[in-house]
C-alpha cells in the first residue's frame, strides 16, 4: 500500500493505475504480476519454505531480525545479522556503525554503502567475504544457491528495489537471502521494516526480478550490484 512503489519500465496501463487508481487497484495490479513477491507469512510463503533447500540459514537468522533504525543503514543491519547468526559481535546496527570512521561513517549514515564498501566494512569487523558482481542470471543463481547450502556462510544481496515490483522503494538496498525454492525459482529475502517502509517483511522474490535489481549499475561505484558471501574465520 506504499504510494511510492515503482516498477521498472512501467506500461501505460500501470502508469494509469498508479497515478489515477486507488490503493486497492495498485495492490491488485502487483498481486497479478507473475514476479510479484510472495510474503513469507502467507500460506503460499510458508509452503515454499517447507519445500525449499537451505532452510537452516533462515532458522538461524530469522529470530534475530530487528527493525532497521537508520534510513540508509540496510548494509549495517545486514552485517549485524550475519554476525549475530554466527554468535559473534558486532551484532547490532549501532555497533557495526561504530566500527567505521571519518568519511566512510558519514557516507553510511547519509547515503548508504555500495557493495565494495560493505565488503570492506565486513572485513574490518572480522568477517571473510567474497564479492560477486552480477554478470548473468545463471551464474548468480549458482553462486547464491551454493552459499545458501553452506552452514558456515551467509548471503547478502545488493539490488535496486525499483527493479523488483512490489518491494516498496526505488533505491539501492542490502538484505540477506535465507533460502531458495527451486520449483518456483525464488529466493527468500529477509527484508527489515524501517521508518520509511514500515510494511517491509520477508518475501519470496522471483530470481530473474532479483537479478535485474542486482545487475543495475550502482551510480556511486559505476559497478553492477551483486552479492556478498560472508563467512567467519576460524578462531
Amino acid at each position: 500500500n506504499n504510494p511510492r512503489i515503482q516498477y521498472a519500465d512501467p506500461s501505460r496501463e500501470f502508469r494509469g493505475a498508479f497515478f489515477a487508481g486507488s490503493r486497492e487497484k495498485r495492490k491488485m495490479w502487483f498481486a497479478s504480476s507473475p514476479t510479484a513477491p510472495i510474503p513469507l507469512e502467507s500460506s503460499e510463503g510458508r509452503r515454499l519454505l517447507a519445500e525449499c533447500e537451505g532452510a537452516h540459514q533462515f532458522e538461524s537468522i530469522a529470530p534475530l531480525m530487528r527493525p532497521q533504525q537508520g534510513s540508509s543503514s540496510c548494509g549495517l543491519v545486514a552485517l549485524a545479522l550475519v554476525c549475530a547468526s554466527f554468535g559473534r559481535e558486532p551484532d547490532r546496527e549501532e555497533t557495526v556503525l561504530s566500527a567505521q570512521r571519518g568519511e566512510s561513517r558519514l557516507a553510511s549514515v547519509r547515503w548508504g554503502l555500495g557493495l565494495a564498501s560493505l565488503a570492506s566494512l565486513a572485513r574490518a569487523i572480522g568477517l571473510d567475504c567474497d564479492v560477486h558482481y552480477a554478470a548473468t542470471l545463471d551464474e548468480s543463481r549458482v553462486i547464491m544457491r551454493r552459499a545458501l547450502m553452506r552452514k558456515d556462510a551467509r548471503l547478502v544481496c545488493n539490488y535496486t528495489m525499483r527493479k523488483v515490483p512490489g518491494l516498496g522503494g526505488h533505491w539501492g538496498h542490502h538484505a540477506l537471502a535465507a533460502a531458495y525454492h527451486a520449483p518456483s525459482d525464488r529466493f527468500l529475502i529477509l527484508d527489515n521494516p524501517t521508518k520509511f517502509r514500515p510494511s517491509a517483511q520477508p518475501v519470496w522474490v522471483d530470481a530473474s526480478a532479483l537479478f535485474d535489481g542486482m545487475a543495475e549499475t550502482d551510480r556511486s561505484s559505476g559497478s553492477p550490484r551483486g552479492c556478498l558471501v560472508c563467512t567467519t574465520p576460524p578462531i
Side-chain angles (χ1 to χ4, degrees):
N1 292 337
N2 190 327
R4 292 192 292 179
I5 289 175
Q6 296 187 18
Y7 182 64
D9 303 320
S11 66
R12 184 184 302 254
E13 177 185 357
F14 170 71
R15 288 198 297 270
F18 184 85
F19 291 109
S22 65
R23 289 186 176 183
E24 189 62 29
K25 286 183 179 179
R26 291 196 295 271
K27 183 177 180 181
M28 292 175 63
W29 192 93
F30 282 122
S32 66
S33 170
T35 59
I38 299 172
L40 174 62
E41 290 305 310
S42 67
S43 58
E44 178 69 2
R46 291 192 295 270
R47 181 185 69 79
L48 296 182
L49 182 63
E51 297 176 356
C52 78
E53 59 188 50
H56 56 272
Q57 290 201 19
F58 169 78
E59 294 165 359
S60 298
I61 300 168
L64 305 171
M65 293 182 65
R66 303 184 182 95
Q68 178 181 319
Q69 301 302 313
S71 60
S72 302
S73 58
C74 53
L76 307 182
V77 172
L79 292 186
L81 273 175
V82 170
C83 290
S85 69
F86 286 141
R88 54 165 296 164
E89 295 183 346
D91 58 358
R92 290 180 178 271
E93 177 181 336
E94 57 271 23
T95 51
V96 175
L97 176 62
S98 67
Q100 296 182 282
R101 296 291 183 270
E103 292 185 4
S104 176
R105 179 168 180 162
L106 180 63
S108 68
V109 172
R110 288 188 175 179
W111 307 290
L113 297 173
L115 191 61
S117 297
L118 191 68
S120 296
L121 178 57
R123 297 181 184 113
I125 62 176
L127 295 170
D128 290 337
C129 67
D130 295 322
V131 181
H132 298 279
Y133 293 106
T136 68
L137 172 58
D138 289 342
E139 178 182 312
S140 295
R141 185 190 291 110
V142 168
I143 291 169
M144 294 168 69
R145 289 184 68 176
R146 286 176 177 171
L148 290 171
M149 293 303 294
R150 295 173 58 180
K151 293 185 177 180
D152 65 338
R154 299 292 183 264
L155 178 64
V156 180
C157 296
N158 177 221
Y159 53 91
T160 302
M161 285 191 287
R162 72 168 175 268
K163 291 288 187 177
V164 186
L167 282 190
H170 62 276
W171 49 85
H173 192 54
H174 297 282
L176 269 72
Y180 175 72
H181 184 260
S184 65
D185 196 22
R186 287 177 178 268
F187 287 94
L188 177 58
I189 299 296
L190 300 183
D191 204 1
N192 284 300
T194 71
K195 175 182 178 181
F196 300 99
R197 293 192 306 127
S199 62
Q201 60 181 311
V203 289
W204 289 97
V205 177
D206 177 78
S208 61
L210 180 60
F211 175 77
D212 286 345
M214 294 167 62
E216 181 164 282
T217 299
D218 182 349
R219 294 179 182 178
S220 65
S221 66
S223 300
R225 301 179 187 274
C227 63
L228 295 181
V229 178
C230 299
T231 58
T232 184
I235 300 176

